[in-house]
Structures are given as structure tokens and as C-alpha cells.
Amino acid sequence: MRRIPERTIRELGWQRLLDQLRDRCATDSGRRLLATNHFQTSAEDVEEMLALVSEARRLIQDATPLPFGGIVGLDQAIARLRKDGVLETRVLQDIGRTLRAFGRLHGFLAEIGSESPLLSARTRLLHDLDHVYGPIEDSFESDGRLADHASPNLGKFRRRVHDLNEQLTKRMRQLLDSAEVQRYLQDRFYTQRENRYVLPVRADCAGSIEGIVHGSSASGATLFVEPKALVELNNRLKVAESDVESEELRIIRQLCSYVAHEVEAIEQDDLVVAELDGVHARARLAQQMDATRPMIAADAALALNAARHPLMVLDQVPVVANDIELAPAKTLVLSGPNAGGKTVALKTCGLMALMLRAGCHLPVGPESRLPLYAGVHTAIDDDQSIERNLSTFTAQIAQVLTILADADQHTLVLIDELTTGTDPGEGAALAQAILEQLASRHPQVIVTTHYERLKALAINDDRFVNGSVGFDLDNIAPTYSLDIGLPGSSCALEVAQRTGLPPGIVERGRELLGPTEQQLSALLTELTTERRQLQQRLEDLRAAEQLARTRANELESKRRQLKERAQAEHAAQYENTLRELQLARRDIVAARRALKQHAPDSTALRSVERDLSRAAEKLNAAAPEPAQIATPPLDTNALRPGDQAYVRSLGGNAIIESIDQRGRVTVRAGIARAAVDLDELFEPLRGEATVKRLAPPLRPAARPDPANEAPKIERTIDTTLDLRGHRAEEALRMSDHFIDQALLAGRDAIFLLHGRGSGALRRVIREHLASHVAVQRFDLAEERDGGDAVTVVWLR
């Protein structure tokens, strides 16, 4: 793709839009990258960027945007390191925090996985730099000071300095308390000069206290004397402080060497983060504009639905959305009154072409399509003509020459008021000649005009299409609505008359037009009025259709509410029954324990079994009906192992494993298996995962075998509850319910499938199990049963 001309950038206002993008960046590197590298270089890159922006928008909508907190610019620090420089501690800590933020972003991208595959794939481009930022973070206190444990010697050296300061302080206090010394002092205090402890001695007592003079006060009345008795201690303190400084510098150099060793990886990560920041900025901009991901038109047909000028949307200016269509190699001639929106429509198309090159979503309606133009040329403003000592006409012709030299079938050309500023007759003829020459090179062209000659081109030349902007003559105001296929009238005489120009002048203008031009102007005005009336009727019909649709939706919503209310009441009744059953949980657990510990009395055992059977029947009767899935029956004659089917009793898809001679089918959902009848099988649901868990009707507990004290525990659909994807509160409620079912069914153990993930759900479940009255113990499942993704629970 070709370089976008500077004139196009300026005339379409691209720099303003780019500033809006950069303002939404979170990092300095993101802003710098957008300033220099905003356009994509190929159609593949554009498609990928559009898809990345879609993923980033979903994250924003879910209130989980890409995390960029803690990232600072690294350019200057890296440049200094490349010169073997030593960084300031503040800069070094900034690098540590930034690299940790890179790691945090890496972890976030890894977690979003299948939901945002393109963003998640960026984890392959980021490096693990824990060995760099880890030591940096460990070496500093929260206040930015090097920690004593930053090296084996630093703490020892600092303690030596501290001890020497304590000794010197103690000796100085002793001297201040000495009557022999006090009489020579200017005041009763001690201080430091050149980091050595000194006493303030009166100048007239010089020599009275033996020692080294380190200076005097501004008035000269006081001398600062280091007592001879403290010289050795002060020397030792200076040496100790020097040791601390040397050790701190050594540590800083070592930490800098860690960073310097990974400079290339850090720069690569910084570039990846900058690109992700650019994606995030595009997503934020798209959200604010209520934008849509456009389709790239491979056939070069432009079709923008409900298009709005991006900068006007961002400025919160009321915008009339318009449908803009242009077939390949066609020229759209836009006409209509001044200030009616012709130039806005022109710039809207151009700016959106540049936004697509940058991989941005567009403020358009669904199903909008736009070619990926190799070149975009404009001739809109004449602000530069005066600076170049050119007339408006001459400047425009110079730009037309540039456009003619570059125009081809991959180019979009936008021209505002072609060949104005000269004789109207000659200008119109020249404009037609230029447009015909442009059309022969097959670009897509949009040109605005008031020339009747150009409006007539579409009559005999199918390379040209008319378009017009509307004007409300009753209110003397533009409607800003765009109509493709119909030329527009400038409405100059009508507007002049309605705004108060004397009627005689207006009538004289009509006479000077001539009968042909009068008829054409009147016809265009009439067509414009009729088109506006038809448009109003169409809008009224659409409004009526929308009202009918809204009322139908309201009725459907009320129907769903009534259905949901009935289901909720049924579910509430079921929950009440379940609560009653849970009150008997302790008794059931106690009965199970007694049966395991003692030989049961047959009469008592039958009584317990009858009670449990009645409870199970009551619970099954109260359980809500499962949702019925509408799917056609399966052709069982062609059924083969490995096929997929929807199993009604399981409530989801499963894989066929085998079919026996009696018509019983063994199916597998995950690692669990079940046997079902052929009439249970239906066509599989498309896009649905296999069944997560089978929850069969509750059955009374079978009489345990006293001889079998350690029954084999096998994970099946019946004994497994899948909690993945559920919130903690919901998962705990489901676990309690499943335990109740297991107790009534006489099971000794169940399996809770919580997955691995971050481990949060597993932790909550196990904390709950630890205090559960019916739980004897729990542990990780064996590897064949899912390992640390599954918790096996033994019941009392």
C-alpha cells in the first residue's frame, strides 16, 4: 500500500483523530508507536488489527480491560545502559515495576485464553523476566532505600556505621557534660562538619581544646573543633561509611547488569506492550463512538450504512447518519445547496478509509463494507494556495495533476467543488473533461459540485452516479440527509427569496436563467421535495414497524417473566423440600455410621430404609422439570461408535462408544460413561459441549455389605459434579445438594470437579468441606481421575 499524502492527512483531519487515539493510550511507548506507525502495511495486518480490537472491546465491556498499570517509559534508561552507565535507584526501581507489569500483562493474556485467542497469542512474544525484576524488587524497601538484606555485607556495614555513630554520640555528650570543656564552648551542643563530629568552641578560646578545626561560623565567633580524642573514631566512621557507599554502588551495578543482560528482550517486550496499548486505545475509541467492525470489500464496492463523521461524533456534535454506496470504478457526483452536508459526506468517506488502514472500527452500522485503498487523494481545502501565491483555481489544477498521475483502480479520490474560481461555463466543461479522464483510470471518485453539466453526466455515462443532500424549503434549513441516485438543486433562488431578498431581484434572476435552466431547476426542486416527502413516509413506516416490534417484544418479555415466575415458584418449593431434608442430614449420617459400626437389627434397618425411600420420593417429586431441548430424533440405523448424539436423560451431547444386541447404547461424556436406550438419542446440539454431569433421580440407599469395609471408589457420571465456570456461592450450593443426593443414594464417596485455574474455587470448596457435617475426609483425586483438578470426598 502506498504512502498517504500529507495533503490528504491534513484535509481529512487525520491528525486530530490520531491525537484522540494517542490520548487513550496508557503508556508512553504506546503513544510514541501510534505517532509514527499507525497505518497497517497489508490487508492481513488490517484484518488482524480489526479482530484484536474486537477482542479488546469485549474485555472492556466485561470490565476486565488489558492491565497497563505501573508501566513507565524505558527508552532513556536503556540508552544509558547501552553506554555501560549506572542507573539511579529511582530509575532502577521504575524498571523493576515496569517489568513486573509486563509479567502481570503476560499472566492476564494467558488467562483469557480461548475467549481472546489473538490477544492471548501475544504471550508467545513476551519474555519471562522474573530473574530481572525479582532481585530489583527484593533489594529495595518500600521507601526506595536499598534494603539491608540486598547483600550479605550491606547490613553488616550499616550496623557498623550505626554503632560508631552511637559511640561518637555518647562521647560527645560526655564532653558536653564536662565542666572543663563547657567553659570553652559557644553553646551546649555538638554538630557535624564534613561528616565529622565537632564542638562549637569560642574563637577566643582557640587552642584550649586540642583537636582539628573544620571551619568557623559566619561571624567568626565560633570555631568548629573535632576533639583529638574523637579523631580515631571519626576516621573509623568515615571508613565504615565508605564501605557502605561502595557496597551500595556494587549492588546497583549488579542490578543494572541484570537489566543490561536482557536489554534486547526488554525492548522487544516494550514494543509488544506498545502494540497492545495501541489495540486497547483503538478499542476505547470504538466504544466511545459506538463503532462497528467493518468488512474489507474485496470487490472494491463501498457500502457504509448509517455512516457518521468520526470527529463530529467525538466532538458530540449532532450527526445525521447516512448510507453511502459507491460501486467499483464509479464516480459519485454530489450536488445540493451550500451547507447541506456535501463536504461532510466527502470527508466522512475519506476519514473512514484512513481509519480502516489503521485497523480502527468505524462509526457505521452493521454489514458496512469498505475497500482497503492503496491510495487516498483529496482536493478539498485551498488554505495553502495563498501561501504558495496561487489562486484557488490554479492550486486545484495543480492538485488534479498529482491525482491524475497516481489514480488507478485501487485509489479513492475526493474533490470538493471542482474547477471553481474561474468562468462557470469554462469551469464546468473543464471539470467534465477532468472527471472523464479520471474515470478512464478506474478509481472511485466522489466530487461535489453545483454545475448542471456534471449532474447530467449520469444520464449518458454509466461510470457516473448522482447523489444529493436534502434541503427543507419550508424551514430554509438543510436536512443533511444523503440520497444516492438523484441530483440535487442548489435552491439558490428559493433560499434567497425566503430569506428576504426583494421579489423583483429574485424574479429577474429567474428570467436571466432562461426557460431551460428554469425548468431544470424547478424539476430538481420538485424532485427534492417529493424525495423528502417519500423519505418521511418511509421513516413513519419504519417507526410504526419498530413500534409493533417493540410491543411484540414486550409481550414476549411478559410471557417469559410469567414462565420464569412459575419456574421460580416451583424451584422455591423444591428448595423448601430440600431444606427439610437437610435438617435430617445429621440423623442420616448417624444412622450410616451406626450401620457401619454395628450389626444392624433387621427390623430397624427396614424402618430406616422406608424413611429414606419416602424422603427420596418426596424430593424427586418436588424437583423442577429439566429444560426441554428442541432437537430432532436421531437416525439410529446409521449410528456408529464415535458419533455424537444429544442424550435426553443426560441433558447434553455425548459420544457413542458401543451398541449391544438389546439396543442399549454405551455413551461417554468426558471420562464418565452411562448406558441408555436408543429412544434417548437425538440429533446433537451444535456448538454445545458434552454433558457436564448426570443427576439421576434419587434412590433409597442399598443395604451395605458388612463384609466389604473398603469398597472400591470409581469415578462415574453419577458420582461426579462439574463445578467449573460457576461462582463460589453457586458452587457451594450445588455441592451441598449433590452431597444430599449421595447420602440418600447410599454412596460412600463423590468427586467434585473444580478444575485447576487459579485455585480459588478449589480453595473455597475445600474450606467448606472441612466443616461439613456429612464429610468424613477429602483429598486430591488420583491422576487417572483428574488429579489436582478433582477433589474426592468420603462421606460419613
Side-chain angles (χ1 to χ4, degrees):
M1 289 188 282
R2 304 166 207 154
R3 180 176 174 273
I4 302 297
E6 289 299 323
R7 174 165 183 154
T8 299
I9 296 289
R10 173 176 54 81
E11 291 185 336
L12 293 179
W14 172 251
Q15 188 58 49
R16 276 193 62 203
L17 191 78
L18 185 60
D19 290 343
Q20 293 278 356
L21 268 177
R22 295 178 69 236
D23 288 345
R24 286 160 178 79
C25 284
T27 67
D28 291 337
S29 56
R31 282 184 280 272
R32 283 193 301 271
L33 184 64
L34 268 179
T36 58
N37 192 25
H38 37 268
F39 291 127
Q40 306 302 303
T41 58
S42 68
E44 293 75 17
D45 290 342
V46 171
E47 287 283 19
E48 183 179 32
M49 180 60 73
L50 292 173
L52 284 166
V53 172
S54 293
E55 292 185 358
R57 290 183 69 179
R58 284 194 292 270
L59 293 175
I60 292 174
Q61 290 165 357
D62 294 340
T64 56
L66 294 172
F68 294 103
I71 297 176
V72 300
L74 302 178
D75 288 358
Q76 294 182 357
I78 289 177
R80 184 173 178 82
L81 283 174
R82 288 190 180 280
K83 297 178 181 178
D84 297 324
V86 177
L87 302 177
E88 298 177 7
T89 57
R90 176 187 57 80
V91 176
L92 194 57
Q93 291 176 83
D94 284 344
I95 290 177
R97 282 189 287 268
T98 297
L99 297 187
R100 173 169 283 280
F102 287 178
R104 214 164 32 241
L105 181 60
H106 181 281
F108 178 86
L109 293 174
E111 285 183 1
I112 58 180
S114 59
E115 298 176 3
S116 304
L118 292 177
L119 287 173
S120 183
R122 270 25 186 197
T123 54
R124 297 194 299 268
L125 305 177
L126 293 172
H127 299 81
D128 182 3
L129 297 173
D130 178 76
H131 61 287
V132 179
Y133 67 77
I136 294 175
E137 292 182 335
D138 292 343
S139 297
F140 289 94
E141 301 286 3
S142 58
D143 59 1
R145 179 173 172 269
L146 270 175
D148 288 349
H149 59 260
S151 79
N153 289 327
L154 182 58
K156 179 173 65 176
F157 291 162
R158 283 177 173 174
R159 285 191 295 274
R160 185 183 303 166
V161 169
H162 177 268
D163 293 343
L164 289 170
N165 274 308
E166 288 290 322
Q167 293 179 45
L168 283 163
T169 300
K170 182 178 179 181
R171 293 293 300 277
M172 293 301 282
R173 290 199 184 107
Q174 290 173 350
L175 290 174
L176 290 176
D177 292 339
S178 170
E180 181 65 24
V181 173
Q182 284 182 10
R183 58 181 176 166
Y184 302 123
L185 299 180
Q186 188 70 264
D187 204 344
R188 195 171 183 277
F189 70 89
Y190 64 88
T191 186
Q192 286 183 314
R193 285 292 184 273
E194 300 174 4
N195 290 330
R196 300 179 74 88
Y197 285 83
V198 295
L199 291 172
V201 179
R202 298 202 315 270
D204 59 342
C205 298
S208 300
I209 296 179
E210 189 175 1
I212 301 171
V213 177
H214 286 279
S216 62
S217 64
S219 65
T222 303
L223 301 178
F224 297 103
V225 179
E226 178 185 0
K228 182 180 179 180
L230 299 184
V231 170
E232 176 60 25
L233 269 179
N234 269 323
N235 287 343
R236 288 165 59 190
L237 177 61
K238 291 287 288 185
V239 171
E241 289 175 339
S242 177
D243 288 342
V244 170
E245 291 176 3
S246 298
E247 183 64 10
E248 288 180 342
L249 181 59
R250 187 195 67 79
I251 294 170
I252 295 299
R253 286 185 180 278
Q254 184 178 43
L255 295 176
C256 288
S257 72
Y258 296 156
V259 179
H261 185 70
E262 297 287 0
V263 159
E264 290 186 1
I266 292 172
E267 285 185 320
Q268 291 174 16
D269 284 8
D270 192 42
L271 178 59
V272 173
V273 171
E275 291 172 347
L276 288 171
D277 194 12
V279 171
H280 186 247
R282 288 174 173 87
R284 292 181 60 195
L285 187 74
Q287 289 295 100
Q288 185 172 346
M289 294 191 299
D290 191 21
T292 300
R293 176 180 173 177
M295 295 181 289
I296 296 178
D299 59 355
L302 182 152
L304 300 178
N305 303 319
R308 297 163 291 144
H309 191 285
L311 293 177
M312 295 176 68
V313 173
L314 292 172
D315 291 340
Q316 298 183 342
V317 174
V319 183
V320 175
N322 280 302
D323 297 339
I324 306 174
E325 297 181 2
L326 187 60
K330 296 287 186 179
T331 296
L332 175 62
V333 180
L334 276 180
S335 54
N338 287 321
K342 299 188 299 295
T343 304
V344 170
L346 195 78
K347 290 186 174 182
T348 297
C349 290
L351 193 52
M352 288 192 180
L354 299 189
M355 289 178 69
L356 182 63
R357 278 278 294 265
C360 294
H361 290 192
L362 308 180
V364 294
E367 305 300 321
S368 292
R369 305 166 69 246
L370 186 65
L372 189 59
Y373 296 107
V376 179
H377 286 279
T378 61
I380 298 175
D381 299 329
D382 62 355
D383 295 342
Q384 304 298 311
S385 59
I386 297 177
E387 297 176 11
R388 297 167 55 201
N389 197 27
L390 298 172
S391 68
T392 299
F393 175 76
T394 307
Q396 193 178 63
I397 294 301
Q399 178 61 10
V400 166
L401 288 172
T402 301
I403 294 172
L404 286 170
D406 194 53
D408 59 20
Q409 68 270 26
H410 305 299
T411 307
L412 175 66
V413 178
L414 307 169
I415 305 176
D416 192 28
E417 303 290 354
L418 181 59
T419 64
T420 56
T422 187
D423 175 76
E426 293 183 2
L430 183 60
Q432 179 176 343
I434 290 172
L435 291 180
E436 288 175 345
Q437 181 63 26
L438 263 178
S440 69
R441 304 187 181 202
H442 310 296
Q444 284 177 300
V445 182
I446 304 178
V447 59
T448 66
T449 188
H450 290 284
Y451 291 147
E452 303 297 337
R453 174 187 286 273
L454 299 188
K455 300 176 191 178
L457 283 174
I459 298 174
N460 298 313
D461 193 334
D462 61 5
R463 296 175 300 176
F464 295 89
V465 178
N466 274 314
S468 61
V469 291
F471 195 85
D472 186 350
L473 288 175
D474 295 332
N475 298 311
I476 318 178
T479 63
Y480 303 109
S481 60
L482 179 64
D483 293 317
I484 304 297
L486 182 69
S489 171
S490 298
C491 303
L493 296 174
E494 289 78 7
V495 172
Q497 183 176 3
R498 291 174 183 272
T499 51
L501 195 67
I505 297 177
V506 175
E507 288 304 319
R508 178 56 180 162
R510 285 198 176 93
E511 293 172 3
L512 295 174
L513 274 178
T516 302
E517 291 176 320
Q518 285 186 42
Q519 291 175 2
L520 180 59
S521 178
L523 178 60
L524 288 176
T525 300
E526 184 179 351
L527 284 173
T528 300
T529 301
E530 290 181 357
R531 183 67 173 261
R532 182 168 57 85
Q533 292 173 347
L534 288 173
Q535 185 67 30
Q536 184 60 50
R537 291 176 185 173
L538 180 61
E539 290 177 0
D540 291 343
L541 288 173
R542 287 174 177 170
E545 182 182 2
Q546 180 60 38
L547 179 60
R549 191 180 298 114
T550 300
R551 289 179 177 173
N553 290 338
E554 289 175 353
L555 290 173
E556 176 61 21
S557 177
K558 288 181 180 179
R559 188 192 68 80
R560 284 197 305 269
Q561 289 175 2
L562 290 173
K563 183 178 179 180
E564 289 171 1
R565 187 182 305 166
Q567 291 174 344
E569 291 175 354
H570 191 186
Q573 294 173 359
Y574 173 71
E575 291 296 332
N576 289 334
T577 305
L578 183 60
R579 278 193 293 271
E580 293 175 6
L581 186 62
Q582 288 172 339
L583 292 177
R585 181 183 292 154
R586 293 181 182 273
D587 295 336
I588 295 173
V589 170
R592 283 168 56 89
R593 187 184 298 117
L595 290 175
K596 291 179 179 180
Q597 293 176 352
H598 306 288
D601 176 80
S602 58
T603 303
L605 183 57
R606 284 194 295 271
S607 176
V608 170
E609 288 179 346
R610 283 194 299 272
D611 291 343
L612 291 180
S613 296
R614 283 194 294 269
E617 291 170 1
K618 182 177 180 182
L619 185 59
N620 284 328
E625 288 294 326
Q628 295 300 316
I629 305 297
T631 179
L634 192 66
D635 181 7
T636 56
N637 294 325
L639 200 60
R640 297 290 183 273
D643 290 348
Q644 193 178 53
Y646 177 82
V647 184
R648 183 173 55 191
S649 59
L650 302 186
N653 291 347
I655 304 298
I656 306 299
E657 286 207 335
S658 64
I659 307 172
D660 63 21
Q661 296 179 349
R662 295 175 300 171
R664 293 283 287 176
V665 183
T666 301
V667 298
R668 174 173 53 84
I671 67 169
R673 293 174 174 81
V676 298
D677 293 328
L678 282 172
D679 58 6
E680 291 280 325
L681 304 181
F682 294 82
E683 287 289 338
L685 292 178
R686 301 305 174 189
E688 292 287 332
T690 55
V691 62
K692 290 187 175 180
R693 172 176 66 86
L694 174 63
L698 297 178
R699 299 181 300 276
R703 180 178 303 179
D705 182 2
N708 187 9
E709 296 180 356
K712 182 180 178 182
I713 300 173
E714 181 180 358
R715 182 181 170 193
T716 65
I717 293 179
D718 292 23
T719 60
T720 302
L721 174 64
D722 190 346
L723 299 171
R724 292 173 297 178
H726 294 284
R727 294 189 298 272
E729 181 180 354
E730 185 180 8
L732 295 181
R733 181 185 61 77
M734 292 171 63
S735 299
D736 281 348
H737 187 189
F738 198 61
I739 289 172
D740 290 336
Q741 292 177 320
L743 288 172
L744 289 173
R747 299 189 182 105
D748 292 316
I750 59 171
F751 296 83
L752 300 182
L753 173 56
H754 40 62
R756 294 181 175 88
S758 65
L761 181 59
R762 176 179 58 200
R763 184 172 58 257
V764 170
I765 289 172
R766 292 185 175 181
E767 288 175 356
H768 181 65
L769 293 174
S771 60
H772 200 290
V773 66
V775 174
Q776 180 181 6
R777 62 186 177 92
F778 57 87
D779 204 347
L780 293 177
E782 295 183 10
E783 196 61 36
R784 63 184 176 84
D785 289 328
D788 59 359
V790 177
T791 294
V792 57
V793 183
W794 285 269
L795 304 176
R796 294 184 186 276

